[in-house]
Amino acid sequence: MELTVLFVSFIVFLLLGTSVAAAMIMSAVLSLFVGGMPMTIMAERVLSGINSYTLLAVPFFIFAAVIMNRGGLTDRLLGVSRCFVGHFRGGTAQVDILASIFFAGMSGSATADAASQGRILIPHMRKEGYDAGFAAGVNSASATIGAIIPPSIAMVIYGSVTNISVGALFLAGVIPGLITGLGMMVVVSFLAGRRGYPRAPKMTWRECVGPVLDALPALLAPVIILGGIFTGVTTPTEAGVIACVYGLFLGFVVYRELTLKDILPILAETVEATAVPVFIIAAGSIFGFALTTSGFGFMVQDVLQEITTSPIALLMIVVTIFMVVGLFVEGTAAMLIFVPIFMPLVQLYEINDIQFAMIVIITIMIGTITPPVGLQLFIAADIAKISVFKVDIWPFVVIMLVVVLVLVFVPEMATFLPAALM
């Protein structure tokens, strides 16, 4: 009875236009009320879901991303990217992808990446003759690299839910993230050649010296942030604090693009951006508790064990489930709902925890760029002033799916660096 109330009310609330997080909370409250649970336990579950030292890294990395956007770091990363790939086919689109790789090593936020670079590069691509759908597609797809290459807010949340080392997850994301970026660049080159998109003249080494030296302090940010984590000197949360301090130093002292007047707007933007994932985490905590008390997890586990005893087949089923759920549910919410359900099966089938984590995170990122609810897709489409259904996103979705499938069959792509360095 409780399970029926939970899912029926959840679907009804979604159909009424309620946000996913609010629908999770209200449906969970109804389900637990029908089951006779005291209201106090609901408040306790919400608070326990967000009362985590590891999760403190989330607002710090978001704060760092906002500082870097406003402090001039993003512009300088774009300048360096133009030096290296601006002369390739589809040069400005290639710049978007390479800059996302650089930016990923500092912020860990796909949303911040899509918004900051999209405001600059999408209008620029439109002026150069790129289709609006293609410009938005490149921007939204490349932004997902921010959640794959460390540091990654998605990995911090995943680690807090599963108690897996966030440092190990960070290392695991390096190779898949770089391969994803390279695959996207190949797609851009192919499509740009067929569609006649322009490329910039190749810059000489002498012309590149200025932009590279100017961006060098920004390029050192990933080294400082990740170096502390991988050497064990800092925790991910402490690394988030260092990212904020270093970003403020660059913005105020090195690049001098920040003033004291910028602090309050930066803090306000950070609070607003942090509220969304924290609210979803709190909602996911109580919704997950309702699923547990209703026995849904055991039901799913029993069904999957009856369907297959193959680890590969189980991973393919998990990918399919997250792909379908990602079409309708925000990625963080999907992670909080389903990962705790699948983790016992991961142990039972002797699947590597790190491999499974990377498969889930990248598949969830695919959901952020597919209609109808992909967040990065909405951001890019809004900047390009087109419908999300007109964004040319599917070639990039295919690339990300290929990376996921390689991870399914070649776990070493995710496990090699953690095993070698930790």
Side-chain angles (χ1 to χ4, degrees), residues 363-381:
T363 307
I364 284 175
M365 284 299 104
I366 294 175
T368 67
I369 59 173
T370 51
V373 298
L375 180 57
Q376 274 73 257
L377 191 69
F378 268 102
I379 293 172

PDB file of all heavy atoms in Angstrom, residues 363-381:
ATOM      1  N   THR A 363      26.277   8.242 -17.315  1.00  0.00           N
ATOM      2  CA  THR A 363      24.918   8.028 -17.819  1.00  0.00           C
ATOM      3  C   THR A 363      23.974   9.109 -17.318  1.00  0.00           C
ATOM      4  O   THR A 363      23.114   9.595 -18.062  1.00  0.00           O
ATOM      5  CB  THR A 363      24.395   6.646 -17.396  1.00  0.00           C
ATOM      6  OG1 THR A 363      25.330   5.633 -17.779  1.00  0.00           O
ATOM      7  CG2 THR A 363      23.062   6.352 -18.064  1.00  0.00           C
ATOM      8  N   ILE A 364      24.145   9.512 -16.074  1.00  0.00           N
ATOM      9  CA  ILE A 364      23.340  10.603 -15.525  1.00  0.00           C
ATOM     10  C   ILE A 364      23.618  11.906 -16.273  1.00  0.00           C
ATOM     11  O   ILE A 364      22.696  12.689 -16.557  1.00  0.00           O
ATOM     12  CB  ILE A 364      23.615  10.763 -14.019  1.00  0.00           C
ATOM     13  CG1 ILE A 364      22.906   9.642 -13.241  1.00  0.00           C
ATOM     14  CG2 ILE A 364      23.143  12.128 -13.517  1.00  0.00           C
ATOM     15  CD1 ILE A 364      23.224   9.643 -11.772  1.00  0.00           C
ATOM     16  N   MET A 365      24.878  12.137 -16.619  1.00  0.00           N
ATOM     17  CA  MET A 365      25.219  13.329 -17.375  1.00  0.00           C
ATOM     18  C   MET A 365      24.545  13.338 -18.753  1.00  0.00           C
ATOM     19  O   MET A 365      24.194  14.399 -19.272  1.00  0.00           O
ATOM     20  CB  MET A 365      26.734  13.440 -17.537  1.00  0.00           C
ATOM     21  CG  MET A 365      27.481  13.896 -16.301  1.00  0.00           C
ATOM     22  SD  MET A 365      26.959  15.559 -15.766  1.00  0.00           S
ATOM     23  CE  MET A 365      25.937  15.149 -14.356  1.00  0.00           C
ATOM     24  N   ILE A 366      24.362  12.167 -19.331  1.00  0.00           N
ATOM     25  CA  ILE A 366      23.634  12.096 -20.606  1.00  0.00           C
ATOM     26  C   ILE A 366      22.216  12.627 -20.410  1.00  0.00           C
ATOM     27  O   ILE A 366      21.678  13.342 -21.266  1.00  0.00           O
ATOM     28  CB  ILE A 366      23.610  10.648 -21.137  1.00  0.00           C
ATOM     29  CG1 ILE A 366      25.030  10.193 -21.499  1.00  0.00           C
ATOM     30  CG2 ILE A 366      22.709  10.543 -22.366  1.00  0.00           C
ATOM     31  CD1 ILE A 366      25.129   8.742 -21.915  1.00  0.00           C
ATOM     32  N   GLY A 367      21.619  12.298 -19.251  1.00  0.00           N
ATOM     33  CA  GLY A 367      20.274  12.797 -18.968  1.00  0.00           C
ATOM     34  C   GLY A 367      20.183  14.295 -18.856  1.00  0.00           C
ATOM     35  O   GLY A 367      19.114  14.879 -19.081  1.00  0.00           O
ATOM     36  N   THR A 368      21.313  14.954 -18.547  1.00  0.00           N
ATOM     37  CA  THR A 368      21.284  16.415 -18.421  1.00  0.00           C
ATOM     38  C   THR A 368      21.327  17.128 -19.771  1.00  0.00           C
ATOM     39  O   THR A 368      21.194  18.361 -19.818  1.00  0.00           O
ATOM     40  CB  THR A 368      22.466  16.914 -17.562  1.00  0.00           C
ATOM     41  OG1 THR A 368      23.700  16.675 -18.255  1.00  0.00           O
ATOM     42  CG2 THR A 368      22.494  16.216 -16.221  1.00  0.00           C
ATOM     43  N   ILE A 369      21.548  16.365 -20.853  1.00  0.00           N
ATOM     44  CA  ILE A 369      21.575  17.001 -22.182  1.00  0.00           C
ATOM     45  C   ILE A 369      20.533  16.404 -23.125  1.00  0.00           C
ATOM     46  O   ILE A 369      20.592  16.639 -24.331  1.00  0.00           O
ATOM     47  CB  ILE A 369      22.983  16.895 -22.819  1.00  0.00           C
ATOM     48  CG1 ILE A 369      23.426  15.436 -22.966  1.00  0.00           C
ATOM     49  CG2 ILE A 369      23.995  17.693 -22.017  1.00  0.00           C
ATOM     50  CD1 ILE A 369      24.720  15.256 -23.742  1.00  0.00           C
ATOM     51  N   THR A 370      19.590  15.630 -22.583  1.00  0.00           N
ATOM     52  CA  THR A 370      18.526  15.067 -23.419  1.00  0.00           C
ATOM     53  C   THR A 370      17.190  15.676 -23.021  1.00  0.00           C
ATOM     54  O   THR A 370      16.944  15.878 -21.828  1.00  0.00           O
ATOM     55  CB  THR A 370      18.467  13.537 -23.283  1.00  0.00           C
ATOM     56  OG1 THR A 370      18.410  13.175 -21.892  1.00  0.00           O
ATOM     57  CG2 THR A 370      19.677  12.886 -23.908  1.00  0.00           C
ATOM     58  N   PRO A 371      16.342  15.966 -24.001  1.00  0.00           N
ATOM     59  CA  PRO A 371      15.029  16.486 -23.666  1.00  0.00           C
ATOM     60  C   PRO A 371      14.175  15.389 -23.034  1.00  0.00           C
ATOM     61  O   PRO A 371      14.453  14.204 -23.246  1.00  0.00           O
ATOM     62  CB  PRO A 371      14.468  16.921 -25.035  1.00  0.00           C
ATOM     63  CG  PRO A 371      15.225  16.098 -26.032  1.00  0.00           C
ATOM     64  CD  PRO A 371      16.572  15.830 -25.433  1.00  0.00           C
ATOM     65  N   PRO A 372      13.151  15.739 -22.241  1.00  0.00           N
ATOM     66  CA  PRO A 372      12.635  17.107 -22.086  1.00  0.00           C
ATOM     67  C   PRO A 372      13.138  17.860 -20.860  1.00  0.00           C
ATOM     68  O   PRO A 372      12.789  19.020 -20.688  1.00  0.00           O
ATOM     69  CB  PRO A 372      11.130  16.859 -21.947  1.00  0.00           C
ATOM     70  CG  PRO A 372      11.042  15.534 -21.246  1.00  0.00           C
ATOM     71  CD  PRO A 372      12.202  14.724 -21.746  1.00  0.00           C
ATOM     72  N   VAL A 373      13.952  17.240 -19.952  1.00  0.00           N
ATOM     73  CA  VAL A 373      14.291  17.939 -18.706  1.00  0.00           C
ATOM     74  C   VAL A 373      15.788  18.157 -18.519  1.00  0.00           C
ATOM     75  O   VAL A 373      16.228  18.497 -17.426  1.00  0.00           O
ATOM     76  CB  VAL A 373      13.735  17.167 -17.472  1.00  0.00           C
ATOM     77  CG1 VAL A 373      12.230  17.071 -17.519  1.00  0.00           C
ATOM     78  CG2 VAL A 373      14.366  15.778 -17.364  1.00  0.00           C
ATOM     79  N   GLY A 374      16.599  17.979 -19.553  1.00  0.00           N
ATOM     80  CA  GLY A 374      18.039  18.150 -19.397  1.00  0.00           C
ATOM     81  C   GLY A 374      18.412  19.574 -19.029  1.00  0.00           C
ATOM     82  O   GLY A 374      18.123  20.513 -19.779  1.00  0.00           O
ATOM     83  N   LEU A 375      19.063  19.758 -17.875  1.00  0.00           N
ATOM     84  CA  LEU A 375      19.353  21.102 -17.372  1.00  0.00           C
ATOM     85  C   LEU A 375      20.329  21.851 -18.263  1.00  0.00           C
ATOM     86  O   LEU A 375      20.105  23.005 -18.634  1.00  0.00           O
ATOM     87  CB  LEU A 375      19.910  21.005 -15.948  1.00  0.00           C
ATOM     88  CG  LEU A 375      20.279  22.336 -15.271  1.00  0.00           C
ATOM     89  CD1 LEU A 375      19.075  23.269 -15.231  1.00  0.00           C
ATOM     90  CD2 LEU A 375      20.812  22.078 -13.867  1.00  0.00           C
ATOM     91  N   GLN A 376      21.464  21.194 -18.614  1.00  0.00           N
ATOM     92  CA  GLN A 376      22.430  21.855 -19.498  1.00  0.00           C
ATOM     93  C   GLN A 376      21.817  22.171 -20.857  1.00  0.00           C
ATOM     94  O   GLN A 376      22.132  23.187 -21.483  1.00  0.00           O
ATOM     95  CB  GLN A 376      23.671  20.982 -19.692  1.00  0.00           C
ATOM     96  CG  GLN A 376      24.724  21.158 -18.621  1.00  0.00           C
ATOM     97  CD  GLN A 376      24.308  20.524 -17.308  1.00  0.00           C
ATOM     98  OE1 GLN A 376      23.903  21.236 -16.390  1.00  0.00           O
ATOM     99  NE2 GLN A 376      24.395  19.211 -17.216  1.00  0.00           N
ATOM    100  N   LEU A 377      20.945  21.293 -21.308  1.00  0.00           N
ATOM    101  CA  LEU A 377      20.262  21.509 -22.589  1.00  0.00           C
ATOM    102  C   LEU A 377      19.396  22.761 -22.524  1.00  0.00           C
ATOM    103  O   LEU A 377      19.380  23.579 -23.459  1.00  0.00           O
ATOM    104  CB  LEU A 377      19.413  20.287 -22.937  1.00  0.00           C
ATOM    105  CG  LEU A 377      18.831  20.233 -24.348  1.00  0.00           C
ATOM    106  CD1 LEU A 377      19.935  20.024 -25.367  1.00  0.00           C
ATOM    107  CD2 LEU A 377      17.804  19.103 -24.453  1.00  0.00           C
ATOM    108  N   PHE A 378      18.672  22.937 -21.434  1.00  0.00           N
ATOM    109  CA  PHE A 378      17.821  24.108 -21.263  1.00  0.00           C
ATOM    110  C   PHE A 378      18.655  25.387 -21.243  1.00  0.00           C
ATOM    111  O   PHE A 378      18.272  26.404 -21.842  1.00  0.00           O
ATOM    112  CB  PHE A 378      17.014  23.994 -19.965  1.00  0.00           C
ATOM    113  CG  PHE A 378      15.668  23.358 -20.152  1.00  0.00           C
ATOM    114  CD1 PHE A 378      15.456  22.049 -19.794  1.00  0.00           C
ATOM    115  CD2 PHE A 378      14.611  24.069 -20.691  1.00  0.00           C
ATOM    116  CE1 PHE A 378      14.217  21.447 -19.968  1.00  0.00           C
ATOM    117  CE2 PHE A 378      13.366  23.494 -20.867  1.00  0.00           C
ATOM    118  CZ  PHE A 378      13.168  22.178 -20.501  1.00  0.00           C
ATOM    119  N   ILE A 379      19.784  25.356 -20.541  1.00  0.00           N
ATOM    120  CA  ILE A 379      20.632  26.550 -20.444  1.00  0.00           C
ATOM    121  C   ILE A 379      21.135  26.965 -21.821  1.00  0.00           C
ATOM    122  O   ILE A 379      21.040  28.135 -22.216  1.00  0.00           O
ATOM    123  CB  ILE A 379      21.809  26.280 -19.492  1.00  0.00           C
ATOM    124  CG1 ILE A 379      21.308  26.107 -18.062  1.00  0.00           C
ATOM    125  CG2 ILE A 379      22.831  27.425 -19.570  1.00  0.00           C
ATOM    126  CD1 ILE A 379      22.382  25.647 -17.095  1.00  0.00           C
ATOM    127  N   ALA A 380      21.678  25.981 -22.566  1.00  0.00           N
ATOM    128  CA  ALA A 380      22.228  26.294 -23.888  1.00  0.00           C
ATOM    129  C   ALA A 380      21.133  26.728 -24.862  1.00  0.00           C
ATOM    130  O   ALA A 380      21.321  27.655 -25.655  1.00  0.00           O
ATOM    131  CB  ALA A 380      22.977  25.078 -24.436  1.00  0.00           C
ATOM    132  N   ALA A 381      19.989  26.053 -24.824  1.00  0.00           N
ATOM    133  CA  ALA A 381      18.885  26.401 -25.719  1.00  0.00           C
ATOM    134  C   ALA A 381      18.362  27.803 -25.425  1.00  0.00           C
ATOM    135  O   ALA A 381      18.002  28.554 -26.346  1.00  0.00           O
ATOM    136  CB  ALA A 381      17.759  25.372 -25.592  1.00  0.00           C
TER     137      ALA A 381
END
